Amino acid sequence: MEFKQQTETYFDHFHAHPEVSFKEVETTKKLAQIMEELDVEYRTFDDVTGLFAEIGEGEEVIAVRADIDALWQEVNGKVQANHSCGHDANMSMVLGALLRLKDESLNKRIRFIFQPAEEQGNGSLAMIERGALEGVTHLFGVHLRPQEELPFGKVTPALHHGSGIFLKGKITGEDAHGARPHQGKNAIDVIAAIHQFVKTIYFSPFESYSAKLTNIQTGGESLNIIPGSATFALDVRSQSNALMDTMKVRLEEGLRAIAALHGVEIDLKWDDYTPAAEVSDEAMEIASQAIRNVLGDEAFAEAIQTTGADDFHFYTIKQPGLKAAMVGIGADLTPGLHHPDMKFNREALDVGARVLAETLRLA
């Protein structure tokens, strides 16, 4: 019961003190304070938030990662940092596993990676550059799942996230008077063409994918000026890294054709790429056994294909031999991840901590 209560206390603190990507200064200080209280060795960095902690002895290194940043969004009419993606829960579950393992006799080292900036899609790269994977053979992650994917009481050994990326564009045409549209090159016409083009992109229905406009900015306060310039952004996702590569080529070709048709320039920049999951069968089997050991066969759920993305999968892209899987915890989470009013069953925190601890024992 003490472990369970402490895990929930950690959650209460992090939930009440959210910080956005690469600004998790107080979060990192709190994590360092916890490590000192637990007499656990840790390492922080002068140039980036987050930390590593390590317990145990031996040559073999097993790692677990928790993401620590929050989103920036409107909550009850106020724009603020908000843990609506559940990273406060992820930190707490990993800390709960640490509580259970720190005094056990271990024949290996277990590294706890508290990673910044998952929401930006590049926090994992910052941790890799600072040695997060040195000597690591197995890596595990954890994340609460929305109710539509997994109810409370069910746990899956692996999340097959898709790939995601943003395409940012700038259209440069020519302004014109509203009475003389023939003298300009209307950026809004170009935006409309881009919207129609994106809707005509089709691939096999047996693999999920999507591309959609998510941001458009053009024009000023004067309503009699036809704007020649605009910026836009696309959110692009696919279930595999190979399909993502194909989608990027198709989008660039189409946008170049639209620019030529309308006689404008379109400058493009791909940003915040997150790769699709590369799940290890061995890591998934370890997590599967841990779920059954802790909760029984009835709690086990098959691996989940999810259209969301997570920068956890950069770890396997950058170190291909790494055996990795992210455990998904059913939590009756509603209305959904990233919703400003996201809620979940707090009992899931203890479930996740116990499953993670057993997974790390078995790895």
Side-chain angles (χ1 to χ4, degrees):
M1 182 62 71
E2 180 183 349
F3 292 151
K4 180 176 184 293
Q5 290 175 340
Q6 186 59 64
T7 300
E8 292 189 10
T9 298
Y10 290 147
F11 171 79
D12 289 336
H13 174 86
F14 293 124
H15 186 74
H17 299 86
E19 295 176 297
V20 296
S21 298
F22 286 126
K23 295 182 180 179
E24 312 94 331
V25 175
E26 295 304 318
T27 301
T28 301
K29 288 180 181 177
K30 178 63 175 178
L31 289 165
Q33 177 189 331
I34 291 170
M35 298 309 155
E36 290 173 2
E37 291 170 351
L38 298 178
D39 195 26
V40 171
E41 293 185 2
Y42 68 94
R43 175 187 171 197
T44 56
F45 311 97
D46 294 333
D47 56 346
V48 72
T49 46
L51 64 77
F52 305 156
E54 200 165 286
I55 60 173
E57 296 180 352
E59 294 297 321
E60 187 179 13
V61 184
I62 308 299
V64 60
R65 172 270 215 171
D67 32 16
I68 69 174
D69 57 330
L71 290 158
W72 187 255
Q73 63 185 163
E74 184 173 327
V75 184
N76 297 323
K78 179 183 178 183
V79 179
Q80 63 183 63
N82 186 40
H83 270 303
S84 59
C85 199
H87 295 179
D88 46 359
N90 298 348
M91 279 187 280
S92 303
M93 289 185 286
V94 170
L95 287 168
L98 172 59
L99 288 173
R100 288 167 169 79
L101 294 169
K102 73 179 187 70
D103 293 324
E104 293 185 9
S105 178
L106 301 168
N107 59 357
K108 60 195 170 193
R109 288 180 285 151
I110 301 178
R111 185 172 301 153
F112 296 81
I113 304 166
F114 292 91
Q115 177 212 300
E118 189 280 325
E119 297 296 350
Q120 279 195 8
N122 53 9
S124 57
L125 296 176
M127 293 294 96
I128 292 167
E129 291 169 0
R130 286 157 182 79
L133 296 180
E134 289 179 3
V136 175
T137 59
H138 297 71
L139 174 69
F140 296 92
V142 65
H143 211 298
L144 301 179
R145 304 316 302 157
Q147 189 174 41
E148 63 184 1
E149 283 187 3
L150 207 61
F152 175 73
K154 293 286 187 179
V155 179
T156 181
L159 299 173
H160 289 265
H161 288 100
S163 174
I165 196 168
F166 301 126
L167 177 57
K168 297 179 179 179
K170 181 179 180 181
I171 300 165
T172 305
E174 293 182 25
D175 287 4
H177 192 289
R180 289 176 282 277
H182 63 288
Q183 294 180 350
K185 295 177 181 179
N186 191 341
I188 295 177
D189 289 341
V190 181
I191 291 290
I194 291 171
H195 179 68
Q196 286 300 112
F197 161 64
V198 169
K199 297 298 182 184
T200 67
I201 295 176
Y202 297 110
F203 297 100
S204 168
F206 298 106
E207 188 167 6
S208 64
Y209 63 92
S210 69
K212 55 276 174 189
L213 279 164
T214 54
N215 186 276
I216 300 169
Q217 296 184 27
T218 188
E221 294 184 3
S222 298
L223 302 184
N224 62 345
I225 297 176
I226 297 171
S229 299
T231 60
F232 65 92
L234 293 169
D235 178 295
V236 184
R237 296 175 186 266
S238 89
Q239 200 59 49
S240 73
N241 294 315
L243 180 55
M244 175 59 77
D245 291 339
T246 302
M247 291 181 71
K248 289 172 66 177
V249 171
R250 180 77 61 86
L251 285 164
E252 287 187 12
E253 289 176 345
L255 293 172
R256 283 196 296 268
I258 289 171
L261 177 65
H262 289 267
V264 300
E265 294 182 5
I266 302 181
D267 295 319
L268 300 174
K269 178 185 177 183
W270 293 101
D271 196 27
D272 283 349
Y273 168 66
T274 305
E278 301 287 350
V279 178
S280 157
D281 290 339
E282 180 180 327
M284 186 168 64
E285 182 53 40
I286 291 168
S288 298
Q289 189 60 54
I291 294 166
R292 292 188 165 97
N293 289 356
V294 173
L295 303 173
D297 292 343
E298 63 277 8
F300 176 82
E302 296 295 337
I304 290 176
Q305 299 273 346
T306 179
T307 53
D310 196 297
D311 80 346
F312 176 83
H313 307 295
F314 268 123
Y315 291 103
T316 50
I317 295 294
K318 294 298 183 180
Q319 188 165 311
L322 185 68
K323 299 177 175 64
M326 180 178 284
V327 178
I329 309 296
D332 286 345
L333 188 154
T334 58
L337 293 169
H338 289 209
H339 191 284
D341 299 321
M342 186 272 278
K343 301 290 188 298
F344 68 93
N345 186 335
R346 288 167 59 105
E347 294 294 318
L349 297 172
D350 186 59
V351 170
R354 289 189 290 131
V355 169
L356 269 184
E358 180 68 0
T359 300
L360 297 170
R361 289 187 192 101
L362 295 176

